[in-house]
Each structure stands twice: as C-alpha cells, then as structure tokens.
Amino acid sequence: MSTSADRPEVVQIPAETPAASPARTRRAAAQRVREARDRLTSTSGTRPAFDHELLRQYAQTRQSASLVVVLLVVGTGLLFAIWMQPMAAAMWTCGMLCIHAVIIRNCNRFLAEPQSPPATRRWRHRFVLLDLLYGVCWTPVLLNPPGADMVSNTLLMFLMLLVVALSTMLSASLPIAALAATVPVTFAIAINFMLTNTLDTYVLGLLTLAAEGYFALLARRLHSTTLATLEARAEKDALFGELEQAKAISDEARYRAEAANVAKSRFLAQMSHELRTPLNAILGFSEVMKSEIFGPHAVPVYKEYSADIHNSGVHLLNLINEILDLSRIEAGRYELNEEAVSLVNVVADCHHLLKLRASSRGITIHEVFEQGMPRIWGDERAVRQVVLNLLSNAIKFTPQGGEIWLKVGWTASGGQYLSVKDTGSGIAEEEIPVVLASFGQGSNSIKSAEQGAGLGLPIAKSLIDMHGGTFTLKSKLRIGTEVIVTFPPERVMSALAPLTEDAPSLQPAAPEPPLSDDKRRARHKPIMSAGTGL
C-alpha cells in the first residue's frame, strides 16, 4: 500500500492573464502622464484647458442671466424703499447695477481674449474678487431694519434664499466665486437674526446657515457634473482624433499598397516581350533537338533531356502568360476585342482540345447544350480562356473514373450561362474566397500532384466581370464543385424582325433629261381655255 508521500503532487499553474494590447497600454500611460502634468500646472487641480472652459461657462452664464440679476436688484431696491429712505435705496440700487455692469464687462473681455494659462489664473482671481464685492454689497440691504416683525424677517429670509440660490446657479462652474458671493450675505443675516435673542430668530439663523451649506454642496455637485461632462467631451475628442489619425495612416498605407500593386502590374505587363523572347528560343531549339531534325543524338538520353526542357518551357510559358494576363487586367490595360461569339461552339472546341487529357485519366465529360442559341457579343479569346481554365481545373481535381458536366443554356433574365460541374474532392466553404484570390490555393490543390499557380479562377472571374457577367462557385467536400458563369441579356444578339417597308435603293436616282421648248410650252399650257375663243 503506497503512502501519500509516494503519490505525485499535482500543482495547478495559474493561468496567465491576457496581456493588454500595446495600443491600450500606450494610451493609458499617456493619459496618466497627461493627468499628472495637468495637476502640477493647474491652479484648481484639473486640466488647464478645463480651467479655461469652466471660466468660459461662468462668463457665458453671467451674460445670459444679466437681465434676471437686473430685475432682482431693481425689485429689491423698490421693495426696501418702503422700509428705508428712498434715497438710500436708490443709491444702493445704482451701486449694485454698477457692480453688475463691471462684472458683465469683464466677462465680455474674458471671452474676447485668447486662451493662455497665466491669463486664466488672472481672470479666475478677478472673478472671485468681483463676486465677493457683489455679495458684500447685498449685505446692507438685507440686514433687518429696526423694529421689524416676524413677517419682515420671513421676507428677508426669502430674499436671502433667492439671492443665494441665484448666485449659486450663476457661479456653479466656479465654486470659490459662489462661496465668495453667498457667504457674506448668509453670515450677516444669520448674525443679525441671532442678535435679537428670540427663539424665532435663532431658528431663522440656523436655517440660514443650513441653507448656505445646502447651496454650497449643490454648487460643488454642479461643478463636479460640469467637470465630468468636460472630461467626457475631451476623451471623445481625443478618441476622434486617434481614429482620424489611424484612418489617415491606414489610408496612406492603402494608397501606398495600391500604388505598389499598380506599379507591379504595369511592370509585369510591360515585360511581355522580354520574358517571351528567350522562352521562344528555348522552345524552338528544344523542339529541334527533341525531334532530331539535324540527325540523331550520339547519346539517347539527350533526347529525353530535350523533351524535358521543352515541356518545362511550355509550362513556364503558360505560367508567364497567366501572370501577364492577370497583370494587364489589374492594371486596366486588358482590352476586349468584342465580336459575335457562339458560346456553344467555344465550349465544344475547348472540350475537343481537352478530351484526350480527360480520356487518359478515365474521366467522362457530358455535354448538355441547348440548341438554336444565338451568339453573344464578347471577346472570343477571353471566353475561350475562361472555358479552358474551368475545364482544366475540373479535370485536374477529378479523380480517375469521375464525371464532368458541361452545360450551356438560357438564364431566367434572358442571358446565357455556362456551367462546369465535376465529381472531384470539392473545396471547403471557408477556402472559397482563398481560391478566388490571386495565387490562392486550397488545401486539396496543395496536396494534388498537379499544382498550379492559383491564377486560373481569378483570371476567369476577372474576364467575366469585364463582360458584365457573374461568376459563382459552389462546392462541397467529397461531393464536387460547380462553377456557373453567366452573360447578361445585353450581350445576347437576338435576331431582328424583317423590315415592313422596302429598303431604299443603293444607287442614286438618275437625273431627268432636259425638256425641249415645245414640251416645256405644252406643260405650261392651261388645261381649260374657257373665254379665250380657242
């Protein structure tokens, strides 16, 4: 019996936390550095840009509420003219209006100046001092006049709350200014209430202090909400800036890639003569050596080498032709030589060319053609290349003893279609976009003994697109593949109806012979000679 010490101890290794993306880490580090720098350079603990924005909101709020403050000052002056001397109330009203005018003028100057951190700090101190002066000037008129009763105290309390609430709302973006405008009024009224030594005034004094604390807390919360809104807007602007920068970088990279691709395509398209000239010499001389035109080889193996050279040259020439065709298509230099083409005849010719190759592999090709189909308007060479590429792929990937169906017929919209269906190994659904891309090959083509360059299907699709048709590839693993190519109805050359009217003569009309004088006089002779005596 084994002890616990003999048993191996299983230790579970903690899973590694997924590493954050480099872009996210870099963004977070930059944000922390920016926040630290802003805290060191700011007077209020926020970003310098936020300080200026808060002061700007303060100035705009003061401007928009200018008429409300004027109405409050004038109404208070008229109300207290009843308790005080009218001259004193009028002087107080004029003084308050002058202070309010100075505040509005400074707000206008601040909004007109450019943004700078020193100017922001200077204007911040100036607005706090102006609000302090504004609050101190409210103190004389709100003090309880001698001999006032409970009704007047309640009215004073109401006016004080109105002044404090209005000042708090106007200076919410600058809490220090709000305190400077409300604390003198609140403490003066509270001390005045408590000096009367009655229970009612004590209660009113405590309510005054509680109201001041409530409005101070409200101003702080409004300031926090405004600051959070500014931070969210700044983050949104920064995110938009990063997105625009990333889009600009991606667009530049895309333009460079497209320019490189076009340059590559133009280079390959211009290399046709330089690449084909040496290949023609290789093919020609290897054909001569393989056929032993100038006499047999001294060593028989040279004939086999010549045949291998010729076959390799043919394969290389076909590959170069495909690359050049694809390059011309991508560079936009492939021009269609359009003419009347019989799709059935082209498919039949291609079948005849590849019939021997299919028969050698035991593959049966079935033809299903609709009879009496009109011609289509297109490039015969391009159509023939499409059919050869599709049929060659079907033969290549169809096992021995398989079957291939060639179908040509009408589409539902009045066009013509070509279908090549085989019983090969098929293509996986996720590999269909790969095989349709340039130089793309599926897993079955990689395992196949007859590997190609992966250009047959992309060239065929591009040629069909140039004709305005559609290219559809359907495939299932271990079942087969079907490629359907359609030509639009606009390219079908329908027979014209016979003309109902006689065609005009091709020869010009013969001029009439000149008339003699007797015939000309006879033509102008009147038909009736009544009244002439003749």
Side-chain angles (χ1 to χ4, degrees):
M1 183 175 180
S2 63
T3 61
S4 59
D6 299 332
R7 299 177 182 176
E9 183 180 0
V10 179
V11 180
Q12 183 177 2
I13 300 176
E16 296 182 358
T17 57
S21 61
R24 186 180 304 174
T25 304
R26 185 170 59 254
R27 189 183 300 112
Q31 183 177 2
R32 288 194 297 269
V33 173
R34 184 172 60 251
E35 290 176 354
R37 184 179 65 249
D38 293 339
R39 284 195 299 269
L40 293 175
T41 57
S42 176
T43 58
S44 60
T46 60
R47 300 183 186 179
F50 291 172
D51 292 342
H52 181 81
E53 184 66 21
L54 291 173
L55 288 181
R56 189 180 65 82
Q57 290 189 5
Y58 167 83
Q60 290 178 348
T61 305
R62 279 286 187 177
Q63 283 183 338
S64 61
S66 176
L67 181 60
V68 177
V69 175
V70 171
L71 292 178
L72 178 62
V73 171
V74 173
T76 304
L78 293 177
L79 180 62
F80 279 89
I82 302 174
W83 291 342
M84 298 179 179
Q85 296 179 359
M87 184 61 64
M91 293 177 60
W92 175 86
T93 303
C94 293
M96 288 295 298
L97 292 178
C98 291
I99 294 175
H100 178 65
V102 171
I103 294 176
I104 297 301
R105 184 172 180 273
N106 281 271
C107 291
N108 294 332
R109 289 178 56 190
F110 169 75
L111 294 176
E113 286 187 0
Q115 177 182 354
S116 64
T120 301
R121 288 193 293 268
R122 185 174 65 252
W123 280 109
R124 180 185 177 87
H125 296 156
R126 185 178 301 179
F127 285 146
V128 171
L129 293 177
L130 289 175
D131 273 350
L132 179 61
L133 179 62
Y134 176 78
V136 171
C137 290
W138 272 102
T139 304
V141 75
L142 292 179
L143 291 177
N144 193 2
D149 53 3
M150 187 62 187
V151 177
S152 61
N153 290 336
T154 305
L155 181 60
L156 288 175
M157 183 69 178
F158 171 75
L159 290 176
M160 186 273 299
L161 292 177
L162 184 61
V163 171
V164 172
L166 181 60
S167 300
T168 301
M169 296 302 172
L170 294 179
S171 305
S173 58
L174 197 61
I176 298 179
L179 291 176
T182 57
V183 167
V185 178
T186 303
F187 277 93
I189 296 298
I191 292 173
N192 188 36
F193 281 156
M194 292 181 181
L195 290 178
T196 56
N197 296 324
T198 61
L199 181 61
D200 296 337
T201 55
Y202 283 152
V203 172
L204 290 177
L206 294 177
L207 290 177
T208 302
L209 296 177
E212 173 63 24
Y214 170 76
F215 282 109
L217 180 62
L218 179 61
R220 189 65 182 176
R221 294 297 299 272
L222 291 175
H223 175 264
S224 301
T225 303
T226 305
L227 188 60
T229 303
L230 293 177
E231 290 179 353
R233 188 174 66 182
E235 292 180 359
K236 180 190 68 174
D237 295 340
L239 180 59
F240 284 164
E242 292 180 1
L243 290 177
E244 291 178 357
Q245 184 178 5
K247 183 177 181 300
I249 294 174
S250 63
D251 290 343
E252 184 179 359
R254 180 170 57 85
Y255 293 152
R256 291 181 179 178
E258 290 178 353
N261 186 31
V262 171
K264 179 263 300 179
S265 300
R266 290 178 178 176
F267 170 76
L268 291 177
Q270 293 176 357
M271 291 296 292
S272 174
H273 178 72
E274 288 76 5
L275 292 175
R276 288 175 177 173
T277 300
L279 276 178
N280 290 331
I282 293 173
L283 291 176
F285 292 138
S286 61
E287 180 72 19
V288 171
M289 296 170 64
K290 181 184 68 171
S291 304
E292 298 179 341
I293 296 178
F294 298 108
H297 294 286
V299 181
V301 74
Y302 286 166
K303 183 177 181 180
E304 298 179 2
Y305 291 165
S306 303
D308 294 338
I309 293 173
H310 185 268
N311 295 333
S312 301
V314 171
H315 176 73
L316 183 59
L317 181 60
N318 294 332
L319 180 60
I320 291 175
N321 289 334
E322 290 181 351
I323 295 176
L324 293 176
D325 289 341
L326 183 61
S327 301
R328 282 196 296 268
I329 293 173
E330 291 180 352
R333 300 179 59 181
Y334 193 100
E335 298 181 358
L336 297 178
N337 298 322
E338 297 177 328
E339 57 181 343
V341 180
S342 175
L343 184 59
V344 174
N345 295 338
V346 172
V347 174
D349 293 343
C350 295
H351 177 202
H352 181 72
L353 290 175
L354 300 179
K355 185 176 182 180
L356 182 60
R357 179 181 174 186
S359 301
S360 63
R361 302 187 57 174
I363 299 175
T364 304
I365 301 179
H366 305 279
E367 292 183 350
V368 182
F369 300 157
E370 291 191 15
Q371 302 299 325
M373 297 187 63
R375 296 175 179 267
I376 61 174
W377 187 254
D379 189 345
E380 183 177 359
R381 176 181 174 275
V383 175
R384 189 178 300 275
Q385 186 174 2
V386 169
V387 179
L388 287 175
N389 289 349
L390 298 182
L391 190 54
S392 298
N393 282 348
I395 296 174
K396 182 189 301 183
F397 297 108
T398 300
Q400 294 186 0
E403 295 180 338
I404 298 176
W405 283 269
L406 292 176
K407 298 180 181 179
V408 178
W410 292 96
T411 61
S413 60
Q416 296 185 9
Y417 77 92
L418 162 67
S419 173
V420 180
K421 184 177 181 182
D422 59 60
T423 58
S425 56
I427 305 172
E429 184 176 357
E430 61 274 8
E431 293 182 356
I432 291 180
V434 176
V435 300
L436 291 179
S438 300
F439 301 98
Q441 295 181 353
S443 57
N444 293 331
S445 62
I446 296 176
K447 298 176 184 178
S448 175
E450 300 183 14
Q451 297 185 8
L455 298 176
L457 292 180
I459 291 176
K461 185 177 183 302
S462 300
L463 293 176
I464 293 301
D465 292 340
M466 294 179 66
H467 283 82
T470 61
F471 187 94
T472 306
L473 191 148
K474 302 178 182 178
S475 182
K476 291 185 179 180
L477 287 175
R478 294 179 296 276
I479 295 179
T481 304
E482 182 180 8
V483 179
I484 302 175
V485 171
T486 64
F487 292 90
E490 294 80 9
R491 290 193 170 271
V492 178
M493 302 178 63
S494 301
L496 299 177
L499 295 175
T500 57
E501 299 180 358
D502 295 337
S505 177
L506 299 179
Q507 299 294 333
E512 296 183 359
L515 300 177
S516 59
D517 295 339
D518 297 338
K519 293 183 177 180
R520 187 179 294 107
R521 284 194 298 270
R523 173 175 295 182
H524 293 284
K525 184 178 180 180
I527 299 175
M528 299 181 66
S529 56
T532 60
L534 297 177

